[in-house]
Amino acid sequence: DQQVKQNSPSLSVQEGRISILNCDYTNSMFDYFLWYKKYPAEGPTFLISISSIKDKNEDGRFTVFLNKSAKHLSLHIVPSQPGDSAVYFCAATGAGSYQLTFGKGTKLSVIP
Amino acid sequence: GAVVSQHPSRVICKSGTSVKIECRSLDFQATTMFWYRQFPKQSLMLMATSNEGSKATYEQGVEKDKFLINHASLTLSTLTVTSAHPEDSSFYICSARDPSPVAGGADTQYFGPGTRLTVL
């Protein structure tokens, strides 16, 4: 049973446009959500996070939106740059556990 | 962000030998570290949770006698793959939980660069 789902395995976006990566979760006990960026043969790099008490968190070009009622979050990257091309993982934690539950990832390709 | 290192980055060994992978948090103390495994084109799979000063907690299906974890200090956790076989070949990644409130969040984990293990 997959508790964190990233239904789009890949996404292509033109440079300068907005990239929107989506993530859905099923476990209502999750209260903290994170996005990681990963290049091949490297460890994930933390990008941005959001607590369940908020519905938006912004850091530079990255904004994460959380819709608790829909159990949905999204990562917006504006403007997209070729260096953003990577696999993006959505992760969630909660219920007093520090363990992260990851989605399967979305491969973002930003086309120059 | 916080820095986590792993050593070695790449190791090739013969079947039947043991391999030790180190994970260090360089600029913070991590009471909790995690070990993940990633197969090609798949997500990260949590293997075990490493707690400083106590026994590791293993996920279902992970053999604790095969994957020995030691978290002897607040900045170091080690994963030893004992009697490695070709099916153990994988990309192993550790992460450390930064408990600092000024970090991305109390539950933010920072990942090491990973270790590519190839067992011949």
Side-chain angles (χ1 to χ4, degrees):
Chain A
D1 176 33
Q2 209 179 336
Q3 298 185 64
V4 177
K5 300 177 184 179
Q6 291 177 257
N7 292 319
S8 298
S10 62
L11 174 69
S12 289
V13 172
Q14 206 73 29
E15 180 179 5
R17 308 292 282 266
I18 184 171
S19 294
I20 300 176
L21 298 111
N22 293 303
C23 178
D24 297 292
Y25 62 97
T26 58
N27 189 338
S28 58
M29 298 299 288
F30 288 146
D31 57 12
Y32 194 70
F33 305 88
L34 309 92
W35 283 95
Y36 288 86
K37 173 182 178 181
K38 187 179 183 301
Y39 295 112
E42 292 185 14
T45 301
F46 169 73
L47 279 177
I48 192 169
S49 62
I50 188 166
S51 165
S52 60
I53 63 173
K54 295 186 175 181
D55 54 19
K56 177 183 175 181
N57 188 24
E58 192 172 350
D59 184 2
R61 295 187 298 115
F62 302 93
T63 303
V64 56
F65 295 92
L66 175 63
N67 182 333
K68 287 196 298 289
S69 60
K71 293 191 175 66
H72 176 84
L73 63 154
S74 60
L75 174 68
H76 293 210
I77 306 173
V78 181
S80 301
Q81 300 172 353
D84 296 329
S85 297
V87 176
Y88 289 78
F89 288 97
C90 167
T93 185
S97 170
Y98 301 128
Q99 292 181 359
L100 291 177
T101 301
F102 284 89
K104 291 190 173 182
T106 297
K107 183 177 182 179
L108 173 65
S109 300
V110 180
I111 305 161
Chain B
V3 179
V4 176
S5 70
Q6 260 182 262
H7 178 81
S9 58
R10 185 181 293 266
V11 58
I12 301 173
C13 69
K14 291 183 178 179
S15 185
T17 60
S18 294
V19 175
K20 181 187 281 189
I21 304 170
E22 292 185 349
C23 178
R24 293 182 186 273
S25 56
L26 299 185
D27 50 4
F28 65 98
Q29 293 184 329
T31 54
T32 307
M33 291 184 172
F34 302 87
W35 286 96
Y36 294 83
R37 186 172 177 175
Q38 186 183 27
F39 293 101
K41 298 184 179 179
Q42 293 190 25
S43 186
L44 300 166
M45 184 193 80
L46 178 66
M47 297 175 65
T49 301
S50 172
N51 298 298
E52 188 267 336
S54 65
K55 290 183 179 180
T57 305
Y58 291 81
E59 295 301 298
Q60 193 172 10
V62 178
E63 299 175 58
K64 62 180 181 180
D65 294 329
K66 181 167 188 60
F67 299 100
L68 300 178
I69 291 172
N70 185 283
H71 194 155
S73 77
L74 288 172
T75 59
L76 173 64
S77 175
T78 59
L79 168 69
T80 301
V81 183
T82 62
S83 187
H85 291 283
E87 58 266 29
D88 299 324
S89 298
S90 190
F91 192 57
Y92 292 87
I93 308 173
C94 74
S95 72
R97 173 182 163 263
D98 187 347
S100 167
V102 300
D107 297 312
T108 300
Q109 291 180 27
Y110 294 94
F111 286 80
T115 298
R116 168 70 61 192
L117 170 63
T118 303
V119 184
L120 302 176

